[in-house]
Amino acid sequence: MIHNPLSVNLCNIELKNPVITASGTFACGFEYGKLYDISKLGAISVKGITREKREGNPSPRIAETYGGILNSVGLQNPGVEIFAKNLLPYLETQKIPVIANIAGDTEQDYCYLAERLSNTSVAMIELNISCPNVKEGGMAFGVKPDSVYKITKAVRKYCKKPLMVKLSPNVADIAENAIAAEKGGANAISLINTIKGMAVNAETRRPILKNITGGLSGPAIKPIALRMVWEASRAVKIPIVGMGGIMTATDAVEFMLCGATAVQVGTANLTNPLNASMIIDELRRYVDKNKLKSISDIRGQLITE
Ligand SMILES: Cc1cc2nc3c(=O)[nH]c(=O)nc-3n(C[C@H](O)[C@H](O)[C@H](O)COP(=O)(O)O)c2cc1C
């Protein structure tokens, strides 16, 4: 077998490379699949799945900011049954690990979704307890360590696949939340979700987003994301998937140096749909240039003295 220096092992799932497309920025990959061979990706984290179909928040729900975007999409998706019957089969043909990102209004919703999706071909479940754009649930479960622990422990019982908990950056201490997820039985942690923010139109004196507030993503949040990945990686033993403003392979390497096993690319898919593909190509050049046997050799290798 030919040695692949870009491959990484995430919770016993072999990824071709550490690049995963982030939930909500790649749908289920179909549109991107028309532009490039998406089977080259490490994995795909699909748009947040809820029990029932959701229309999302009213428009406008995207606002551009310096170095990023604010979104208040609000978990628009067709519901778990349509996902399993109509969307997942396409991803199965691509032979790529699928990470099912799930969200709910109640603990029971999360447990139900984890059990339902455990009976499908998805490789992993990502628990989104960090969405700032829905009133009922999402971030409400993800801000206090106690509730992170409680929901992770509850879902763990129903989840037959590796469970990754996606943490919110809208917290006082990210390390405490990472520890809570690990204690609750998470197999991995992903971070960060978007940072709650808002945009205002000075002429109309109105908020730009109909929802008033939204989640900030893109390069503007990268320093915060790096700091949080660094702090979380020192607090837990389980693998960390880092994200927040990754636009280039250099950004991805920085996250791995801070302790990430793999990375997710989000907003970059919206600025250029080929970005995730280009980051993989660039990473290959980085590995060659630095004569690395494995990209994993750089994990946690940040020099701080
Ligand atoms: C338009 C949009 C929709 C998103 N939808 C979801 C979602 O459904 N579930 C989720 O966990 N994160 C969602 N996110 C957050 C991203 O997955 C990611 O955590 C965040 O954008 C930070 O990464 P980035 O700066 O590379 O975009 C969304 C982000 C954007 C921009």
Side-chain angles (χ1 to χ4, degrees):
M1 217 172 84
I2 304 166
H3 172 67
N4 172 10
L6 281 190
S7 78
V8 296
N9 183 301
L10 179 66
C11 305
N12 290 328
I13 304 160
E14 206 59 33
L15 309 185
K16 284 186 206 91
N17 58 68
V19 178
I20 302 167
T21 50
S23 178
T25 64
F26 207 74
C28 283
F30 182 73
E31 294 78 4
Y32 291 85
K34 291 181 190 163
L35 300 172
Y36 69 95
D37 176 11
I38 61 168
S39 71
K40 80 185 273 190
L41 294 166
I44 292 179
S45 175
V46 298
K47 174 65 189 169
I49 303 163
T50 52
R51 252 176 117 139
E52 308 297 340
K53 176 185 165 130
R54 286 181 76 121
E55 299 291 350
N57 291 323
S59 291
R61 48 193 199 176
I62 298 273
E64 277 193 51
T65 61
Y66 285 121
I69 55 167
L70 277 166
N71 93 83
S72 61
V73 171
L75 297 176
Q76 178 181 356
N77 80 99
V80 68
E81 290 311 321
I82 300 288
F83 169 77
K85 290 194 187 89
N86 300 351
L87 304 178
L88 189 55
Y90 164 72
L91 289 168
E92 285 166 354
T93 65
Q94 301 298 309
K95 307 216 179 328
I96 178 170
V98 174
I99 301 175
N101 181 284
I102 61 171
D105 297 337
T106 63
E107 190 174 292
Q108 286 86 336
D109 284 350
Y110 281 97
C111 294
Y112 174 87
L113 287 162
E115 188 171 44
R116 173 69 184 90
L117 290 161
S118 287
N119 295 319
T120 69
S121 64
V122 304
M124 198 172 198
I125 309 271
E126 182 173 51
L127 206 63
N128 175 10
I129 50 171
S130 44
C131 180
N133 300 324
V134 286
K135 283 196 188 70
E136 309 84 352
M139 205 164 83
F141 294 100
V143 265
K144 297 225 173 77
D146 287 358
S147 51
V148 171
Y149 171 76
K150 195 167 163 277
I151 193 146
T152 308
K153 195 161 189 264
V155 173
R156 181 68 281 172
K157 281 195 216 115
Y158 293 87
C159 184
K160 310 281 177 296
K161 308 268 177 163
L163 180 63
M164 178 153 80
V165 175
K166 186 163 178 181
L167 297 180
S168 172
N170 305 296
V171 298
D173 183 350
I174 197 74
E176 274 186 11
N177 288 275
I179 292 167
E182 184 177 50
K183 281 201 179 129
N187 302 101
I189 287 168
S190 54
L191 73 159
I192 59 174
N193 208 320
T194 54
I195 299 172
K196 203 168 174 183
M198 64 188 282
V200 170
N201 182 324
E203 299 304 323
T204 62
R205 303 185 182 186
R206 289 178 179 278
I208 292 173
L209 298 173
K210 187 81 181 169
N211 193 48
I212 303 179
T213 62
L216 182 63
S217 63
I221 71 170
K222 196 185 87 175
I224 299 169
L226 276 175
R227 187 265 294 176
M228 289 192 163
V229 165
W230 167 244
E231 288 179 351
S233 77
R234 282 148 52 105
V236 297
K237 292 203 171 58
I238 52 177
I240 291 182
V241 174
M243 79 197 89
I246 296 178
M247 307 298 285
T248 64
T250 307
D251 295 331
V253 166
E254 291 169 17
F255 275 83
M256 296 185 81
L257 287 170
C258 287
T261 294
V263 295
Q264 291 190 14
V265 173
T267 302
N269 297 306
L270 310 178
T271 57
N272 178 348
L274 302 179
N275 262 337
S277 168
M278 292 193 300
I279 290 172
I280 296 168
D281 298 341
E282 267 183 73
L283 272 181
R284 193 158 289 126
R285 286 193 284 276
Y286 174 85
V287 158
D288 289 347
K289 193 174 138 220
N290 289 279
K291 299 189 173 49
L292 297 176
K293 273 211 189 79
S294 165
I295 187 80
S296 298
D297 293 347
I298 63 164
R299 186 189 343 120
Q301 294 303 307
L302 188 73
I303 301 163
T304 53
E305 281 126 32

